[in-house]
Amino acid sequence: MIGLSAGWAVRGKTPGSYDDYGILGSGGGFGPDDYTAILDRYTLGNPPPERSGPEALPWISLTEVVDDRGSYLGVAIHDWTDDTDAAGRPIVRTRYGCFPYDQFVRTPVSYASLVRAVSGLGSDGFAPNALDVPAYAPEDIVRDIEDGNWLGRAATVAALLLEGPVTITGADDLDHTVRLRFLDAVAALLPFGWRPGFTAATWLRGGNSTIRLTFAYQPRPGDFELDWRVAEPQPPADARLAVAYAHELRRSVAHRSLLEVVAYLSTRGDSMVNVDPSRAYEMLVDLDRPALVLDRVRRNEADASEVAALLESGRYKELPRKSDHELLLAALIRLGGGLHSVENVWRELGVGVPSEPWRAIVDQVLRRVRNAPPEDATPYLRLAEALGHTDQLLAELVGTSRDPRLGLAPIQATANLIERWTDPFSADRPATLRALRGQSALICALVGDLDRGGVQREDAWLDLLAGVAPDSLLHPFHALRVPDMTVTLGEIAAFARHGADCVALLVASAARRGRLDRLAAVLIRWVTGLPASERADWLDRLHDVRPVQGADAAVLDVLRMSAGRAPVHLETPDRHAYTATFRQLVTDESLHRFGGHVQYALVEHLKDQKWARDPDQVGMVIALTEALCEVEGQNRAAMVEAVLRGRAANPDMVDWPVYRRWWPDAAARFPGVAADEYRTVLCAVPYDSSLHGVGRLIAEATARGIAPMTLLRHLDGSAWPLTGPALLAAVLEARMFAVHRFDDTLGQADEAARRLIKTAHDASPSLGYELRDAVDARLLSELGLHLNLAEATSLTADQEDLDLTDRARRTLEAIEAKIRSLQGRRGLLGRRKN
């Protein structure tokens, strides 16, 4: 039994009097006026005089009271007495008990127990022992639900109360005791802490909106209605919280038992006054959270926080199968959960290898090494180290590296992990070493990166790997370390049979060490001897090799160019070393037969004329061209022409010292190219060339004696849009360039411009029309400028008169004569002058 504390009040009339209803006696924490206000707030309406039927007294109401001291559960019993007032009307007595909620947080009681306590209340207070009530008995409520087949109704009502008030209709045949037991059943399907806000009545006659759950003939406006005659009612679809709560109630009851659900909800006693109703749903879910999280894990819907909370709290142990525990641990690992928690739970479960959590660790590391760029897998290696499984983890990574579709980056990342987490002196990774057998690319990635760990560590690793890798695989790496050791063509061929990735890793290692020149000649001979398809695949693997020295950059470019590929390292800052090594390689007699391929590759590269705008690139290109011109091959003249075409993109290149030094010698060696110099340049003018640049080329070609028609044909053969306005503007630029560059007189420059424009006008009707319009558009501006200048320099000091010189007058007269000649003695509007 539990002893309760309570305030109380009895309201009624003095028998035989004309008094109104009032408080006949009260006690506890409130005064008579307070009790009157409370009872008025929760009035249930005027009872009918009939002593039987659905509306007959007694009525029972469950109410809430809140003051600055806390919350109270109120219970009122409204019943007839045997007395009447002076008018002969029967008197209704209301007995009211007010129970501080704090006493129920740890020791819940049912509403039925509170009603029994209040039923022992008289005008002088509670009867002796009336407040001694039995402890909460979930099994009694469960028995009522099961005997009455109420689960569907009670679950739906409980769920709907989270959304709003509910009226139960169609229950006219139930007496007040059955209705009270149903109200207790509804309350039992909500967290006990909901009760400080739970208001209900066994009957309501009227529209009091403070009562959230009641039986009545018809629902109040805005209420959810539950028809008692429907055994399995459902919340409306738009009441989402109610639908979710009702579903979870049914699921929990089916998965566990109704008794377990009711007992659990009775333990959630912290007051939920002013708490979001969705919190009730979260509390209900928490009952079966282990199973729910497990189900979400199986459907790939869980997040790391909920799995971590389940494992860290130990509630995962509520699940009966160890396989489910391991599945949850694996999910936490895959979701990136805290590895400290993973380690603790791993040890609690005694997880072995292999297992589902182990597979998750391996997958996490694999994902990290295979991402582009790779991510840091160190935390998982530390976890494996703490669990004593580092060797197995590295062995697993090695075993998954055989897929040729992976590419070099994941292989290199795996090799880095092996090197960092293995001590070659103690050889403490037997499983990893066994797995490395036959993993040629991975071994090459591992060996190729050892130069960063010191000579002694590198020696230890090579000794260790000698037991799992053939000499044909390790020998080229040894050769990079030993000054006098060489690699023959046969040895490179044998090495390459381990895979194209191996050769790429060898080249990358040599480039990083700055020793690629040791392998250059033999690599060139080897790669050019490959079938075209294999050669292309191998060269593609060189794309990510990053040389640190200019000499190695030259080796990589010559390797590419010997197979007809364009160079990619011409922007190296170490240009001197690059060009020296390039010259050395292309003039090597043993490589002469590949010279034509290298020349062709340079010609193809120079087609993109961006290089022509960079002095450093121009110097590099000319140096390579000079070196390749010393090598026999059908593309030597083509290279010189390709450099010439660079002038079309950058006419100023002809003024740069490196070009001025190179061109006379090149012109002497290739007279045919020199003879066609301006055909080559003009035919290569790009689409977006500036008018200034085209004007310069026109002036240069004219100075070299190129005929106007020939010059125009070459320009027309280029990508530059030869339109009337563009040509006129370029010719005017050429006119000034001829004066300032070639010291032509203005008369000579004007005549050259006139001949070119006249030739263009006569050569093409459409171009002629465009030129005529372009000249017309410029005419006023050009003439007006010079006349304004003449006026500005001839005004007198007072700015009133013109003081023209004789020469100026003669010039203006000549201009006037010219204009009249062009007009045919007619005015500008066509009228003949008198």
Side-chain angles (χ1 to χ4, degrees):
M1 301 293 287
I2 300 171
L4 301 178
S5 62
W8 63 275
V10 176
R11 184 164 72 172
K13 289 183 180 182
T14 303
S17 72
Y18 289 100
D19 297 341
D20 288 333
Y21 279 96
I23 301 299
L24 302 179
S26 64
F30 298 101
D33 292 343
D34 295 324
Y35 285 119
T36 298
I38 293 170
L39 293 173
D40 287 347
R41 173 176 171 77
Y42 294 107
T43 181
L44 303 181
N46 294 320
E50 293 82 12
R51 301 299 178 98
S52 62
E55 294 188 294
L57 298 182
W59 292 346
I60 299 171
S61 60
L62 313 175
T63 62
E64 63 164 331
V65 178
V66 179
D67 67 5
D68 55 4
R69 292 168 293 181
S71 298
Y72 303 82
L73 301 187
V75 173
I77 303 174
H78 311 268
D79 203 357
W80 296 113
T81 66
D82 294 332
D83 300 318
T84 60
D85 61 10
R89 292 171 297 190
I91 298 172
V92 176
R93 177 184 60 177
T94 300
R95 289 167 289 176
Y96 179 72
C98 188
F99 303 87
Y101 179 72
D102 288 346
Q103 63 190 318
F104 303 124
V105 173
R106 298 290 177 264
T107 54
V109 298
S110 67
Y111 280 116
S113 295
L114 297 181
V115 169
R116 283 195 293 273
V118 173
S119 65
L121 178 62
S123 298
D124 297 328
F126 285 102
N129 302 322
L131 294 179
D132 292 333
V133 300
Y136 193 77
E139 57 274 11
D140 292 342
I141 295 176
V142 168
R143 186 182 308 111
D144 285 341
I145 293 174
E146 292 176 344
D147 289 349
N149 193 26
W150 291 346
L151 181 58
R153 299 185 184 94
T156 297
V157 172
L160 287 172
L161 285 173
L162 301 178
E163 302 258 13
V166 180
T167 299
I168 301 172
T169 60
D172 303 351
D173 56 340
L174 303 182
D175 67 24
H176 75 279
T177 60
V178 177
R179 294 173 189 163
L180 176 63
R181 291 203 306 273
F182 183 75
L183 297 180
D184 237 337
V186 171
L189 295 181
L190 289 164
F192 198 89
W194 187 263
R195 297 188 186 213
F198 184 84
T199 58
T202 57
W203 194 264
L204 178 64
R205 207 166 188 247
N208 191 341
S209 61
T210 59
I211 304 295
R212 292 181 63 82
L213 172 61
T214 186
F215 290 84
Y217 278 137
Q218 59 189 17
R220 295 161 293 182
D223 275 19
F224 292 105
E225 180 182 5
L226 183 132
D227 189 337
W228 185 265
R229 291 162 295 190
V230 179
E232 293 293 335
Q234 300 295 327
D238 59 349
R240 295 185 178 180
L241 179 57
V243 170
Y245 193 87
H247 170 78
E248 186 57 27
L249 267 177
R250 292 181 174 90
R251 195 203 63 77
S252 298
V253 168
H255 184 260
R256 293 177 176 266
S257 70
L258 179 57
L259 178 60
E260 193 172 357
V261 172
V262 172
Y264 163 75
L265 290 172
S266 71
T267 66
R268 305 307 296 263
D270 290 340
S271 175
M272 297 180 68
V273 172
N274 298 324
V275 172
D276 190 312
S278 63
R279 178 64 184 138
Y281 173 75
E282 292 298 322
M283 289 181 178
L284 177 60
V285 168
D286 201 45
L287 165 65
D288 214 18
R289 194 168 296 279
L292 287 173
V293 173
L294 180 64
D295 183 57
R296 284 170 54 77
V297 164
R298 286 174 172 154
R299 289 185 281 122
N300 294 320
E301 296 175 357
D303 58 57
S305 61
E306 61 182 329
V307 180
L310 192 64
L311 291 170
E312 291 167 3
S313 67
R315 290 198 62 192
Y316 72 90
K317 297 173 185 176
E318 297 173 23
L319 298 168
R321 294 191 298 269
K322 183 180 180 181
S323 60
D324 291 338
H325 305 165
E326 293 191 356
L327 180 61
L328 289 170
L329 181 58
L332 181 60
I333 296 168
R334 289 195 170 96
L335 292 169
L339 296 189
H340 179 71
S341 299
V342 170
E343 181 181 346
N344 290 338
V345 176
W346 187 292
R347 296 186 189 282
E348 284 181 10
L349 294 177
V351 177
V353 176
S355 63
E356 188 70 18
W358 174 252
R359 188 71 254 160
I361 291 177
V362 174
D363 289 344
Q364 282 286 38
V365 178
L366 283 175
R367 182 177 65 80
R368 280 163 171 74
V369 300
R370 291 180 182 180
N371 274 354
E375 297 177 29
D376 183 18
T378 300
Y380 293 91
L381 269 297
R382 287 181 181 149
L383 174 63
E385 186 79 3
L387 298 173
H389 298 313
T390 310
D391 191 25
Q392 292 96 319
L393 178 56
L394 293 176
E396 290 262 12
L397 297 182
V398 172
T400 61
S401 300
R402 296 181 183 274
D403 189 345
R405 297 169 297 179
L406 291 179
L408 287 178
I411 291 175
Q412 190 65 67
T414 302
N416 292 341
L417 285 180
I418 295 171
E419 197 276 329
R420 286 171 52 205
W421 289 88
T422 300
D423 179 8
F425 299 100
S426 63
D428 59 343
R429 301 286 185 246
T432 303
L433 288 174
R434 287 194 299 271
L436 278 171
R437 193 179 300 276
Q439 293 275 25
S440 300
L442 187 53
I443 291 172
C444 288
L446 179 59
V447 177
D449 218 26
L450 291 178
D451 59 295
R452 304 176 184 182
V455 175
Q456 291 183 337
R457 185 174 177 85
E458 189 173 2
D459 287 340
W461 262 111
L462 288 170
D463 290 342
L464 194 61
L465 291 171
V468 297
D471 182 66
S472 60
L473 187 66
L474 298 180
H475 173 74
F477 291 99
H478 279 293
L480 293 177
R481 304 175 67 238
V482 180
D484 297 330
M485 187 178 292
T486 61
V487 180
T488 66
L489 180 61
E491 287 169 335
I492 280 291
F495 176 81
R497 282 194 284 273
H498 292 286
D501 282 337
C502 294
V503 182
L505 289 164
L506 174 65
V507 171
S509 178
R512 190 170 55 254
R513 294 172 183 259
R515 299 172 186 172
L516 188 53
D517 56 327
R518 294 191 188 182
L519 301 175
V522 69
L523 282 173
I524 290 172
R525 290 199 298 274
W526 172 76
V527 73
T528 53
L530 293 174
S533 59
E534 293 182 27
R535 186 187 315 143
D537 181 58
W538 182 83
L539 288 171
D540 287 341
R541 283 170 164 77
L542 286 184
H543 184 269
D544 293 327
V545 176
R546 294 291 178 262
V548 295
Q549 298 182 8
D552 293 329
V555 172
L556 289 171
D557 275 351
V558 173
L559 276 171
R560 293 177 55 84
M561 296 169 76
S562 64
R565 293 283 189 94
V568 294
H569 298 296
L570 293 184
E571 295 182 4
T572 177
D574 191 4
R575 294 188 296 276
H576 177 74
Y578 182 102
T579 54
T581 302
F582 187 93
R583 179 180 293 275
Q584 178 185 347
L585 289 173
V586 299
T587 57
D588 186 331
E589 290 185 3
S590 66
L591 302 178
H592 272 186
R593 63 191 180 95
F594 312 121
H597 298 308
V598 180
Q599 293 167 351
Y600 170 79
L602 183 60
V603 171
E604 290 297 303
H605 173 71
L606 296 182
K607 287 181 178 179
D608 182 350
Q609 297 176 346
K610 293 178 183 178
W611 59 270
R613 297 181 173 89
D614 183 346
D616 292 335
Q617 288 289 293
V618 170
M620 181 76 83
V621 165
I622 286 177
L624 301 190
T625 302
E626 287 178 320
L628 287 171
C629 282
E630 297 177 17
V631 180
E632 291 297 327
Q634 60 183 0
N635 294 304
R636 291 192 296 181
M639 285 189 301
V640 177
E641 289 181 346
V643 177
L644 280 180
R645 281 191 287 272
R647 286 177 51 194
N650 179 21
D652 293 338
M653 188 172 75
V654 74
D655 295 330
W656 294 350
V658 66
Y659 184 89
R660 295 173 65 181
R661 176 193 59 78
W662 166 78
W663 175 238
D665 181 64
R669 293 186 63 181
F670 300 95
V673 175
D676 279 345
E677 176 184 3
Y678 281 95
R679 177 192 62 79
T680 301
V681 174
L682 291 171
C683 286
V685 175
Y687 177 84
D688 58 350
S689 290
S690 69
L691 294 173
H692 174 79
V694 177
R696 173 169 184 165
L697 293 176
I698 290 173
E700 290 179 3
T702 301
R704 287 288 299 273
I706 305 298
M709 181 56 75
T710 303
L711 190 154
L712 290 168
R713 285 199 188 98
H714 295 338
L715 269 182
D716 193 36
S718 73
W720 188 66
L722 186 60
T723 64
L727 179 60
L728 176 61
V731 168
L732 293 176
E733 291 282 346
R735 169 177 173 267
M736 298 311 300
F737 194 86
V739 171
H740 297 294
R741 177 78 175 191
F742 298 113
D743 297 327
D744 285 4
T745 65
L746 279 173
Q748 291 172 323
D750 290 347
E751 177 57 22
R754 186 196 69 79
R755 285 201 310 270
L756 188 55
I757 293 298
K758 175 64 174 172
T759 302
H761 176 273
D762 295 343
S764 167
S766 59
L767 185 59
Y769 288 131
E770 290 181 2
L771 281 169
R772 182 174 181 175
D773 288 343
V775 169
D776 290 348
R778 279 180 173 263
L779 191 58
L780 177 60
S781 174
E782 295 290 338
L783 287 175
L785 171 62
H786 290 89
L787 292 174
N788 287 335
L789 291 176
E791 180 182 19
T793 57
S794 300
L795 282 170
T796 60
D798 58 6
Q799 306 291 311
E800 294 292 335
D801 297 318
L802 286 175
D803 184 14
L804 293 173
T805 65
D806 290 342
R807 181 179 178 182
R809 292 182 185 279
R810 290 195 300 270
T811 300
L812 289 174
E813 289 170 356
I815 292 173
E816 181 181 19
K818 183 67 173 177
I819 292 174
R820 290 187 181 280
S821 175
L822 289 173
Q823 290 178 328
R825 303 292 297 171
R826 292 180 181 273
L828 294 178
L829 297 179
R831 297 188 296 273
R832 183 175 294 276
K833 296 284 186 179
N834 294 325

